[in-house]
Amino acid sequence: MSLRYQINIRILFSSVCILLLGGSIAVWQARQAVNEEIDASVSLAAQLIRFGFSQTQFNEADWLRGINSLKATRHLHIQLQTPSGQILNVPHTAPGDAGEELPPQWFIALVGGKYSQTEQPIVTADGKQFILLIQANPLDEITEVWAESVAFFISLSVLTLLTFLAVHFAFSKALNSIAIIVNALENIEKGRYLQKLPEFSTLEYDSIAKAINHMTDELRKAQQENRALTQHSLEIQEDERQRLAQELHDELGQSLTAIKVMAVTAAHQKADIQQTTEAIVSISDHLMTVVRSMMHQLHPLVLTELGLKAAVEDLLGHWASRHPELHLSLDCTDCVDALNQKVTIQIFRVVQECLTNIVRHAEASQASITLQIVQDPEERLKLEVSDNGQGCADGNIKSGFGLLGMRERIQSLGGEFSIDTRPQHGMRIVASIPLAR
């Protein structure tokens, strides 16, 4: 069941309840008004008749005309009874004779009630005694109340209808806005980051739209960075394959050819065996050096054999020997050697990239590396690399593939990566990785 259908059903149910409640209140008020009007009419008529009889000489014709002229008697049927039991009727226009439309019987039954006949003794000015008989006949009052109730119910119905339409249009507008937002999210799910949400007149929806547009911009930037990083990685891979192929051809191929030639030469009787042997040993030593260098470039064996701490120390020693003017320091706990190999190789590559950037770009005289396991509150591996070099502006931080690559390595482990740098104040790189035991 759709939200629009549920809302319409609830609005319709609320409107019906309002109409029923309004109708019940109208009937109750009408019943109260009829009862009050009838009671007031009976009391007023009795007082007027008693006062008139006690002040004037009784004249039947004048008395009848006076009673007929009272508006209050339209709800009453008045009779006079003599002590002998004779009934004197007062002519009265029957309700409905004026051509008015009578209310329906069910309304009469709801509003009307049972009214008992009122009997009051009266004495005329000349001493005659009569019994005043007053019987309530509320049909005229019910007719008036019916007209008022119809007008009230029509007004209430119009107001309810207007409220229903206003709420319906408001919810329809809101649901249309939601549909636009959902459609935009579906496009984002499909990788279409160029589509933007429009501005909404409703503040809350406009805030959501701005947040989604900002998210879309960030996703598009991340997508572009990932594509550039992937392309760069593929180029590096191809360059490394080309370099390895060149080294294999230049070093291994030529060295093996030289060894083969020397071995063939040594087969002659006049060959200088000792000189040939020494040449072969020298070429073999060179080959071993080349192979170790290639293996170290592809994967540091010390990392697998001795652990992360020893591998980082070896890396720092390598850079220190090539750049003695750069002072490197390491603060590393021995616990890092027990880490998963997936974590250690990524951390080693991040440290390797940091040192490469420091040597190539920082122009620093000091650099420090801290590698510790902390509780924050879960167990995490924290890496911090800082230098006192020239630093850079915030806008240039994401321009290099090296920093992008480091960020991707840390995020692939579920960690957090941050950079703090200012021109002429060095750079500080912090990485935090959760350790799942």
Side-chain angles (χ1 to χ4, degrees), residues 259-397:
I259 291 174
K260 180 179 179 181
V261 171
M262 290 179 184
V264 172
T265 303
H268 296 286
Q269 294 181 353
K270 296 181 179 181
D272 188 348
I273 302 300
Q274 183 177 358
Q275 183 181 1
T276 302
T277 303
E278 291 176 354
I280 292 175
V281 170
S282 176
I283 294 174
S284 298
D285 291 339
H286 176 69
L287 284 177
M288 292 178 64
T289 302
V290 172
V291 170
R292 288 195 187 97
S293 176
M294 295 174 63
M295 291 176 62
H296 182 76
Q297 294 175 10
L298 292 174
H299 184 81
L301 292 179
V302 67
L303 179 64
T304 304
E305 296 174 355
L306 301 180
L308 179 60
K309 182 178 181 180
V312 174
E313 290 175 344
D314 180 69
L315 183 63
L316 264 64
H318 169 75
W319 284 109
S321 62
R322 296 178 59 182
H323 299 274
E325 73 282 359
L326 177 62
H327 176 70
L328 298 172
S329 62
L330 174 65
D331 181 12
C332 180
T333 177
D334 295 333
C335 298
V336 298
D337 293 333
L339 297 177
N340 187 288
Q341 187 176 3
K342 177 183 177 181
V343 176
T344 58
I345 185 61
Q346 301 294 352
I347 293 296
F348 178 81
R349 294 302 185 191
V350 170
V351 174
Q352 188 179 43
E353 183 65 29
C354 287
L355 292 176
T356 302
N357 289 340
I358 291 173
V359 172
R360 291 181 179 177
H361 309 294
E363 299 180 3
S365 60
Q366 293 182 355
S368 63
I369 300 173
T370 302
L371 196 57
Q372 299 290 338
I373 296 178
V374 297
Q375 299 289 336
D376 188 28
E378 61 179 354
E379 194 174 39
R380 303 179 73 89
L381 175 64
K382 185 176 181 181
L383 169 66
E384 181 177 335
V385 181
S386 60
D387 64 73
N388 63 347
Q390 61 181 356
C392 66
D394 293 339
N396 298 328
I397 290 179

Side-chain angles (χ1 to χ4, degrees), residues 25-35 107 111 141 145-146 149:
I25 293 175
V27 170
W28 179 79
Q29 290 180 340
R31 187 180 183 90
Q32 293 294 111
V34 169
N35 290 335
F107 186 80
V111 175
E141 181 65 21
V145 170
W146 166 253
S149 299

Side-chain angles (χ1 to χ4, degrees), residues 14-320:
S14 301
S15 301
V16 171
C17 290
I18 291 173
L19 291 176
L20 291 177
L21 180 61
S24 301
I25 293 175
V27 170
W28 179 79
Q29 290 180 340
R31 187 180 183 90
Q32 293 294 111
V34 169
N35 290 335
E36 292 175 359
E37 181 71 15
I38 293 301
D39 292 340
S41 298
V42 171
S43 177
L44 178 62
Q47 292 178 9
L48 289 176
I49 293 172
R50 189 182 301 111
F51 179 77
F53 274 28
S54 63
Q55 298 296 324
T56 60
Q57 295 292 328
F58 178 77
N59 184 286
E60 183 177 357
D62 295 338
W63 183 81
L64 290 176
R65 284 193 298 270
I67 291 298
N68 279 322
S69 65
L70 294 176
K71 185 179 179 181
T73 61
R74 70 186 189 280
H75 310 310
L76 307 175
H77 180 60
I78 302 174
Q79 295 176 313
L80 286 177
Q81 183 179 1
T82 63
S84 62
Q86 182 182 0
I87 301 297
L88 300 177
N89 289 315
V90 178
H92 193 277
T93 303
D97 290 348
E100 296 182 356
E101 183 179 354
L102 295 178
Q105 290 298 321
W106 62 267
F107 186 80
I108 297 176
L110 286 175
V111 175
K114 294 182 179 180
Y115 302 97
S116 59
Q117 180 174 275
T118 301
E119 298 181 1
Q120 294 189 4
I122 57 175
V123 179
T124 64
D126 55 1
K128 296 180 180 180
Q129 295 182 353
F130 292 94
I131 298 176
L132 180 64
L133 305 177
I134 302 177
Q135 177 66 46
N137 188 5
L139 189 57
D140 281 344
E141 181 65 21
I142 292 177
T143 303
E144 293 178 4
V145 170
W146 166 253
E148 295 174 357
S149 299
V150 169
F152 171 77
F153 193 77
I154 292 175
S155 301
L156 182 63
S157 300
V158 172
L159 290 176
T160 303
L161 179 61
L162 293 177
T163 304
F164 174 83
L165 293 177
V167 174
H168 176 74
F169 289 143
F171 275 109
S172 296
K173 183 178 180 181
L175 293 176
N176 291 334
S177 300
I178 292 175
I180 294 174
I181 293 174
V182 170
N183 182 61
L185 292 176
E186 291 176 351
N187 289 328
I188 293 175
E189 180 185 6
K190 297 175 182 178
R192 303 170 184 170
Y193 302 139
L194 295 178
Q195 181 178 355
K196 298 293 183 181
L197 281 170
E199 293 185 359
F200 293 97
S201 57
T202 305
L203 178 61
E204 290 76 11
Y205 290 127
D206 191 57
S207 299
I208 294 174
K210 290 180 179 178
I212 292 178
N213 288 338
H214 177 70
M215 179 188 68
T216 304
D217 292 336
E218 294 298 321
L219 289 174
R220 183 168 55 85
K221 291 178 182 178
Q223 184 186 54
Q224 292 174 350
E225 290 175 356
N226 289 336
R227 287 177 179 174
L229 185 60
T230 301
Q231 183 64 30
H232 182 68
S233 300
L234 293 175
E235 292 175 358
I236 291 177
Q237 187 180 40
E238 291 299 324
D239 291 343
E240 188 166 302
R241 288 177 177 177
Q242 183 178 0
R243 182 180 57 81
L244 288 175
Q246 189 67 35
E247 289 188 6
L248 289 173
H249 177 269
D250 294 343
E251 299 291 343
L252 293 182
Q254 293 182 11
S255 297
L256 290 175
T257 300
I259 291 174
K260 180 179 179 181
V261 171
M262 290 179 184
V264 172
T265 303
H268 296 286
Q269 294 181 353
K270 296 181 179 181
D272 188 348
I273 302 300
Q274 183 177 358
Q275 183 181 1
T276 302
T277 303
E278 291 176 354
I280 292 175
V281 170
S282 176
I283 294 174
S284 298
D285 291 339
H286 176 69
L287 284 177
M288 292 178 64
T289 302
V290 172
V291 170
R292 288 195 187 97
S293 176
M294 295 174 63
M295 291 176 62
H296 182 76
Q297 294 175 10
L298 292 174
H299 184 81
L301 292 179
V302 67
L303 179 64
T304 304
E305 296 174 355
L306 301 180
L308 179 60
K309 182 178 181 180
V312 174
E313 290 175 344
D314 180 69
L315 183 63
L316 264 64
H318 169 75
W319 284 109

